[in-house]
Amino acid sequence: MSKTLIQKVGSLLRKAYQAEVNLIESLSDGERSAEGNFENWSPKDSLAHTTYWRQRMVETLAYTFRNQPPPSYPPYDEVNRQVYFEKQHTPLPALLREAEDTMRALQDALNRFEDEDITDPARYQWRNGIPLLSYILGNGYIHVIHHLVHTYRKLNNLSKATSLQDEALQQLASLAELGKSRAVLLYDMACLLTATGNHTQALDLLEESLQIDPSLIEWSRQDPDLDALRDNPRFQQMTGG
């Protein structure tokens, strides 16, 4: 029996989480327990961060399942700072238990939906015409891969960082059901590739994204995640600025 889209998405979210666990298990005892600072996160800081955003997704999906808009949250940067300082001194075993509990809760929340619930762009008013699928994969998969790639690069494991990026692209390409969500996810991947210096590939994905959904052009003109591309003639041509 072939998997439903919900099952495929759930598998991707679990895969990204397992990759975080695998990274931590590959570290020395000192690296695992190390504390960073707000400008330079340690691996356990990153785990606390992604766990928080999974927890928020559990809450958002609960509201969405009841056909209610999610609550308003403080700005992204403010929340990240608050989470960092709340969790800065939490021992790694406690963070891992919280992460596993959160991952199970997320899987349960996701399983309440049907495939059409997450692919219909008009299903939920708060999504403003963008399918719920892009939020789920963007938050629970691409966001996690972004932090993993960043950590592996800091550890000078460039081959692992590259393989994670490539696998993420392949996984997204395999989801024929993406529809309009593909534009947002390609855009997110372009931001990730920009941050890691893969500018040509980033521009390829960004161009495809903007062709699918031209409404993203305006945001791309001001998105700080794309600042490294801003002087590139190809970027200027596709964004008109």
Side-chain angles (χ1 to χ4, degrees), residues 14-221:
R14 170 59 69 169
K15 192 177 186 104
Y17 165 68
Q18 188 59 51
E20 289 184 289
V21 174
N22 292 345
L23 184 153
I24 288 172
E25 289 178 346
S26 73
L27 301 174
S28 67
D29 290 343
E31 289 171 326
R32 280 197 290 269
S33 60
E35 293 184 2
N37 55 58
F38 186 66
E39 288 73 31
N40 185 23
W41 293 356
S42 69
K44 80 180 188 73
D45 296 332
S46 291
L47 179 65
H49 170 82
T50 56
T51 296
Y52 165 79
W53 285 97
R54 288 188 183 99
Q55 290 169 342
R56 180 185 284 196
M57 181 153 54
V58 171
E59 182 177 58
T60 296
L61 291 179
Y63 276 92
T64 302
F65 184 75
R66 298 194 297 269
N67 284 311
Q68 297 175 337
S72 297
Y73 296 102
Y76 181 88
D77 290 342
E78 180 181 328
V79 168
N80 287 343
R81 177 175 288 275
Q82 178 181 346
V83 171
Y84 173 80
F85 287 107
E86 282 182 358
K87 299 293 186 178
Q88 181 181 14
H89 303 304
T90 304
L92 178 60
L95 292 177
L96 286 168
R97 287 193 297 271
E98 184 179 18
E100 180 60 37
D101 290 344
T102 300
M103 193 64 224
R104 283 197 294 265
L106 178 56
Q107 190 69 67
D108 290 342
L110 182 61
N111 287 340
R112 300 173 74 186
F113 292 84
E114 302 293 337
D115 287 2
E116 55 269 25
D117 293 329
I118 66 173
T119 56
D120 181 357
R123 179 71 176 83
Y124 303 107
Q125 187 174 3
W126 73 272
R127 291 293 297 156
N128 297 316
I130 300 175
L132 187 62
L133 176 59
S134 64
Y135 166 75
I136 296 169
L137 286 176
N139 194 342
Y141 184 67
I142 293 177
H143 177 227
V144 179
I145 297 299
H146 171 84
H147 285 285
L148 284 168
V149 167
H150 181 70
T151 299
Y152 275 117
R153 286 175 66 86
K154 287 203 305 181
L155 294 170
N156 291 318
N157 192 340
L158 300 184
S159 62
K160 184 63 176 180
T162 301
S163 68
L164 279 171
Q165 284 183 162
D166 291 344
E167 183 179 4
L169 283 169
Q170 291 169 10
Q171 293 288 352
L172 295 179
S174 71
L175 292 177
E177 308 94 337
L178 281 176
K180 191 177 179 181
S181 293
R182 181 171 177 77
V184 178
L185 296 170
L186 287 172
Y187 185 98
D188 288 345
M189 284 300 300
C191 292
L192 169 58
L193 291 166
T194 299
T196 56
N198 295 318
H199 292 175
T200 299
Q201 193 174 15
L203 286 165
D204 290 343
L205 297 185
L206 182 64
E207 184 171 26
E208 184 178 353
S209 170
L210 301 184
Q211 287 173 348
I212 296 171
D213 187 358
S215 69
L216 292 171
I217 293 175
E218 183 60 36
W219 174 243
S220 71
R221 292 171 179 160

